[in-house]
Amino acid sequence: MKLEIKLTRSLIGRKPNQVKTAHALGLRKMNQVVVKESNDAIIGMIKTISHLVSINEIE
């Protein structure tokens, strides 16, 4: 299963670990969308910045 991850809130003023997590997922600009394969590492990264992103499942 793949996940479509969209950065919906700004990274300005966020804690450094949250900014680094977003960058590691490939999210740098607002409303940018990346598609990642779902695994434990990606899910953990999403939980770290869950308040900044929106997630859609893709079959």
Side-chain angles (χ1 to χ4, degrees):
M1 175 176 52
K2 293 191 176 194
L3 299 174
E4 185 180 75
I5 309 163
K6 180 177 183 179
L7 186 63
T8 56
R9 306 205 47 204
S10 175
L11 296 174
I12 295 172
R14 302 294 173 183
K15 294 180 180 178
N17 69 312
Q18 293 173 353
V19 175
K20 289 177 183 177
T21 300
H23 287 180
L25 284 169
L27 298 168
R28 299 189 181 277
K29 297 180 179 180
M30 279 191 56
N31 296 317
Q32 185 176 3
V33 177
V34 294
V35 176
K36 298 286 185 180
E37 193 66 40
S38 177
N39 61 41
D40 291 341
I42 297 297
I43 291 169
M45 294 168 86
I46 290 170
K47 285 183 181 177
T48 302
I49 59 169
S50 62
H51 56 292
L52 303 175
V53 296
S54 63
I55 312 299
N56 290 322
E57 292 182 3
I58 301 173
E59 296 303 321

